[in-house]
């Protein structure tokens, strides 16, 4: 339903005398901005909400506002810029620096990175570990796996998996809901196991506490509680009297609590976002976050950015249609300011995913011949399962491509192996990391690794010969006597890292000691994997120590691993992007393809409730608003693998009026209705 309480007249007000004076003093910063964007820059004090549609220049407006604050006398260090990606914060600060050099001192980063900084500064006051090991989601699942096994879980029994334990706990924390409420709402089939949930999560908290570990949620909880402290909370608010939050629609209840407490009673909080792009419901976010901002601060201003500089009018009409179909929305209509030649988007019906892939490859090459580089073309998929035929066709046609939204480089198995070695150098009590590192040795499993860990605890591993540790744990020669030597190499690499020094140099030396182990572990493609590790290790040169680097890697770096299965890539041309819609948010290309527009994929077959279907509309909106010049949606009528009929998406009727429609190739008769072309074939039907 449309929120009737929204005020729409903010952008229509004429500037006051004071505003005119301010506009004159910062005229260079306001130059080139439209009236809506200028309102963002001029909104200096108080709380205000910017509803910024896709492609409306919110980054430009936020950047200019920060620069204007500094030019008008606000110290850059008093401005806190909160984002959801490190790259976004860095880009804004870089742009602002070009306008006012002092902008380099703006405190910008993700919620988690800022929280980690404050935890480190105030650790002694709250009796928190100053240098906690940060558990990423995969680590968290590993810990829950150990704990669930302790409480009697066996594979295949009717108890929640380690992954569900982790998700339920995190969702409860981030939405500030009771665990049992979350379980019954999202995992009703495990409602009978509440006692199991409670015991596992209690042990998980104790496990982290005993080993100086934080997960991502702990960082935000610690920050939230700091803000409740009379002295520390006041100090933080005085330190950051001006707060800007980008992508506010992606805030969950815990993020909102932090922002609300940062603002206090006299808020200077600028929240910028678009409820139509709220697509992270699995993290506890919802479009209602934007509406709730006005409920918490009723006097807040509202500013609407509606001039779209990205898409042609014909493409933008599709996005507007999807927006109008949403249940909860701001009453707005984006207007295209694009000067590019406009053409109707294309809706293509094909026989199956194989034909879909052929069509996309043909069009990609056609676009290239017509002046659109490969790097300005993207294939956006609801999930990476939709990309397998497209990847195969690109490979066979030698079309270079990269994948976004698949495996992240820092999440790759070999990267995790090596970084766990660095983790135990920083925190010798990190049992999860030790188990992963030690089981790389030939012939050693979890039991053997635990013996080594116990030996290290009882006989601290010094910089000398690791032989006593190995002896105490029991020799483990493995096949061909490799096990003991590999264990020596692992412990030797640990010693190199634990000794300190420049982190990049230490990582290089440790990698040299681990080379034989990795060759044995990854015999087919170790050279390629080694380059990956070297890429990540090189980043450590930007950090003063290994601990800081590991924390940054866990919280901030997101490195997409391009597919190795590409055609030849030249220096003159970057590859086509294949990306999930979620990974594409915030990005844009000249030409965008959206394949597999069928009922099973959009909305996702996992969307079972009205709220989940609404989120799928928002996923579609994000996809439809990425292209500048060309948009092509493809619908296969059957599945290639089995020839089953692919049902029409329920969203098709919303967008189809705005497309040119063509059919490529012949429609296949669904396999369930096709008969074998043999004279002796017959069907016996028992009605």
């Amino acid at each position: 339903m449309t929120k009737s309480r929204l005020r729409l007249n903010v952008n229509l007000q004429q500037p006051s005398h004071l505003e005119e004076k301010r506009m004159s003093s910062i005229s260079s910063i306001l130059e080139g901005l439209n009236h809506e964007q200028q309102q963002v820059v001029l909104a200096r004090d108080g709380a205000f909400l910017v509803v910024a549609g896709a492609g409306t220049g919110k980054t430009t407006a936020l950047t200019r506002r920060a620069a204007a604050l500094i030019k008008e006398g606000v110290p850059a260090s008093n401005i806190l810029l909160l984002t959801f990606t490190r790259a976004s914060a860095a880009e804004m600060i870089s742009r602002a620096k070009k306008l006012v050099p002092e902008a380099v001192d703006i405190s910008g980063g993700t919620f988690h990175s800022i929280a980690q900084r404050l935890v480190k500064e105030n650790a002694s006051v709250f009796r928190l570990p100053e240098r906690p090991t940060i558990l990423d989601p995969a680590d968290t699942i590993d810990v829950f796996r150990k704990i669930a096994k302790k409480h009697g879980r066996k594979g295949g029994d009717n108890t929640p998996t380690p992954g569900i334990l982790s998700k339920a706990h995190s969702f409860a924390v981030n939405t500030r809901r009771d665990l049992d409420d979350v379980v019954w709402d999202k995992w009703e089939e495990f409602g009978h196991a509440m006692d199991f949930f409670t015991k596992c999560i209690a042990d998980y908290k104790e496990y982290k506490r005993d080993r100086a570990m934080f997960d991502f949620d702990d960082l935000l909880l610690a920050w939230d509680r700091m803000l409740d402290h009379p002295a520390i909370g006041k100090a933080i608010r005085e330190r950051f009297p001006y707060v800007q939050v980008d992508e506010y629609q992606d805030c969950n209840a815990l993020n909102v609590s932090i922002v609300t407490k940062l603002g206090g009673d006299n808020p200077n909080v600028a929240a910028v976002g678009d409820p139509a792009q709220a697509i992270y419901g699995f993290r506890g976010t919802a479009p209602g976050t934007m509406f709730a901002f006005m409920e918490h601060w009723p006097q807040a201003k509202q500013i609407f950015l509606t001039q779209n500089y990205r898409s042609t009018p014909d493409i933008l009409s599709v996005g507007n249609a999807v927006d109008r179909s949403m249940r909860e929305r701001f009453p707005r209509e984006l207007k295209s300011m694009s000067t590019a030649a406009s053409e109707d988007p294309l809706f293509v019906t094909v026989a199956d995913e194989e034909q879909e892939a052929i069509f996309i490859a043909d069009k990609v090459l056609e676009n290239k011949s017509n002046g659109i580089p490969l790097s300005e073309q993207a294939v956006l998929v609801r999930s990476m399962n939709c990309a397998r035929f497209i990847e195969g066709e690109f490979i066979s046609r030698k079309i270079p491509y990269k994948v976004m939204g698949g495996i992240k480089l820092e999440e790759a198995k070999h990267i995790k192996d090596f970084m766990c070695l660095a983790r135990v150098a920083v925190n010798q009590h990190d049992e999860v990391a030790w188990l992963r590192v030690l089981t790389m040795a030939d012939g050693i499993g979890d039991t053997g690794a635990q013996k080594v860990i116990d030996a290290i605890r009882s006989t601290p591993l010094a910089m000398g010969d690791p032989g006593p540790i190995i002896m105490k744990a029991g020799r483990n020669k493995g096949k061909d006597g490799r096990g003991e030597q590999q264990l020596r190499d692992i412990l030797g690499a640990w010693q190199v890292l634990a000794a300190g020094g420049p982190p990049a140099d230490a990582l290089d030396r440790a990698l040299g000691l681990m080379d034989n182990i990795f060759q044995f572990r990854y015999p087919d493609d170790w050279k390629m994997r080694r380059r990956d590790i070297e890429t990540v290790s090189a980043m450590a040169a930007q950090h003063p120590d290994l601990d800081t680097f590991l924390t940054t890697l866990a919280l901030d770096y997101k490195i997409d691993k391009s597919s190795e299965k590409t055609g030849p890539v030249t220096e003159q041309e970057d590859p086509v992007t294949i990306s999930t819609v979620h990974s594409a948010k915030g990005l844009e290309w000249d030409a965008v393809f959206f394949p597999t527009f069928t009922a099973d994929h959009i909305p996702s077959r996992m969307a079972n409730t009205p709220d989940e279907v609404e989120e799928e509309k928002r996923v579609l909106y994000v996809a439809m608003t990425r292209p500048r010049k060309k948009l092509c949606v493809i619908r296969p009528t059957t599945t290639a693998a089995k020839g089953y009929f692919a049902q029409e998406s329920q969203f098709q009727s919303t967008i189809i009026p705005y497309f040119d429609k063509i059919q490529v190739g012949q429609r296949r008769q669904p396999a369930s209705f096709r008969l074998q072309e043999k004279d002796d074939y017959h069907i016996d039907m028992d009605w």
Side-chain angles (χ1 to χ4, degrees), residues 539-582:
M539 300 174 185
Q542 306 169 25
H543 300 81
D545 52 53
L546 198 57
D547 179 35
T548 305
F549 169 61
L550 288 172
T551 300
T552 304
L553 187 66
L555 298 178
D556 280 347
Y557 280 129
K558 295 294 175 215
I559 315 159
D560 285 295
K561 180 174 174 61
S562 299
S563 172
E564 301 293 338
K565 302 174 294 184
T566 66
V569 180
T570 67
E571 294 183 0
Q572 292 76 33
E573 186 172 42
D574 292 327
V576 179
T577 297
I578 299 177
S579 173
T580 62
V581 179
H582 285 80

Side-chain angles (χ1 to χ4, degrees), residues 214-249:
F214 270 26
D215 60 25
F216 288 2
D217 302 332
D218 292 326
L219 292 170
L220 299 188
L221 278 173
W223 187 4
D224 187 66
R225 290 166 183 169
M226 284 180 204
L227 291 167
D228 289 331
H229 189 279
I232 303 296
K234 181 181 178 186
I236 294 173
R237 281 185 285 273
E238 289 177 349
R239 179 178 176 181
F240 302 123
Y242 288 90
V243 180
Q244 291 189 175
V245 188
D246 194 18
E247 304 288 358
Y248 192 73
Q249 81 280 347

Side-chain angles (χ1 to χ4, degrees), residues 243-262:
V243 180
Q244 291 189 175
V245 188
D246 194 18
E247 304 288 358
Y248 192 73
Q249 81 280 347
D250 292 338
C251 287
N252 55 41
L254 185 52
N255 297 133
V256 170
S257 177
I258 290 169
V259 173
T260 301
K261 292 174 182 178
L262 279 171

Side-chain angles (χ1 to χ4, degrees), residues 465-525:
D465 182 13
I469 297 294
I470 298 173
M471 288 290 292
K472 197 166 186 176
R475 289 180 178 270
N476 191 337
K477 295 184 181 295
K479 296 178 181 178
D480 304 322
R482 284 189 295 259
E484 183 178 333
Q485 184 56 52
Q486 290 182 346
L487 201 52
R488 284 182 174 273
D489 290 340
I490 289 170
L491 295 177
W494 178 90
Q495 290 173 323
V496 167
L497 294 171
D505 294 343
L507 288 167
D508 283 343
R509 293 198 303 275
L511 182 56
L513 289 170
M514 294 291 292
D515 199 81
N516 289 331
I517 296 172
F518 277 120
Q519 284 192 50
F520 178 73
R521 189 169 175 83
Y522 304 106
D524 297 330
D525 56 356

Side-chain angles (χ1 to χ4, degrees), residues 146-348:
K146 286 173 58 72
I147 293 170
K149 187 176 181 181
K150 169 189 156 184
H151 286 288
R153 184 183 190 278
K154 300 176 181 178
D157 67 4
N158 193 27
T159 52
T161 65
I164 289 174
L165 288 168
S166 175
K167 288 178 182 177
H169 173 56
S170 181
F171 198 87
V173 170
N174 282 284
T175 57
R176 304 174 75 85
R177 292 166 61 186
D178 292 336
L179 178 66
D180 58 347
D181 180 40
V182 168
V183 171
W184 282 105
D185 181 29
K186 302 188 74 66
W187 293 280
E188 185 179 357
E189 67 273 25
F190 294 119
H192 66 277
M194 280 306 310
D195 186 58
F196 184 80
F197 272 103
T198 303
K199 288 179 179 178
C200 288
I201 289 171
D203 281 6
Y204 173 66
K205 293 177 180 178
E206 184 180 356
Y207 185 98
K208 292 185 295 177
R209 192 164 49 248
D210 291 345
R211 294 163 177 80
M213 293 176 169
F214 270 26
D215 60 25
F216 288 2
D217 302 332
D218 292 326
L219 292 170
L220 299 188
L221 278 173
W223 187 4
D224 187 66
R225 290 166 183 169
M226 284 180 204
L227 291 167
D228 289 331
H229 189 279
I232 303 296
K234 181 181 178 186
I236 294 173
R237 281 185 285 273
E238 289 177 349
R239 179 178 176 181
F240 302 123
Y242 288 90
V243 180
Q244 291 189 175
V245 188
D246 194 18
E247 304 288 358
Y248 192 73
Q249 81 280 347
D250 292 338
C251 287
N252 55 41
L254 185 52
N255 297 133
V256 170
S257 177
I258 290 169
V259 173
T260 301
K261 292 174 182 178
L262 279 171
D265 297 329
N266 297 298
N268 290 318
V269 176
V272 186
D274 183 3
Q277 299 186 64
I279 58 174
Y280 294 106
F282 56 89
R283 299 180 188 168
T285 66
T289 300
M290 297 283 290
F291 306 119
F293 185 93
M294 300 302 301
E295 293 173 354
H296 185 78
W297 287 306
Q299 301 307 312
K301 298 177 181 176
Q302 292 176 21
I303 302 174
F304 288 76
L305 300 185
T306 60
Q307 297 184 33
N308 176 290
Y309 294 90
R310 175 184 300 160
S311 304
T312 64
D314 291 318
I315 292 174
L316 190 58
S317 64
V318 182
N320 281 332
V322 178
D323 187 19
R324 287 193 300 270
S325 73
M326 295 179 190
R327 188 178 64 211
E328 287 189 301
R329 61 181 298 268
F330 285 88
R332 51 115 189 242
E333 191 85 359
L334 299 188
K335 302 180 291 290
S336 174
M337 309 302 290
S338 171
T339 57
S342 189
E343 62 180 70
D344 287 339
L346 193 62
F347 190 97
V348 184

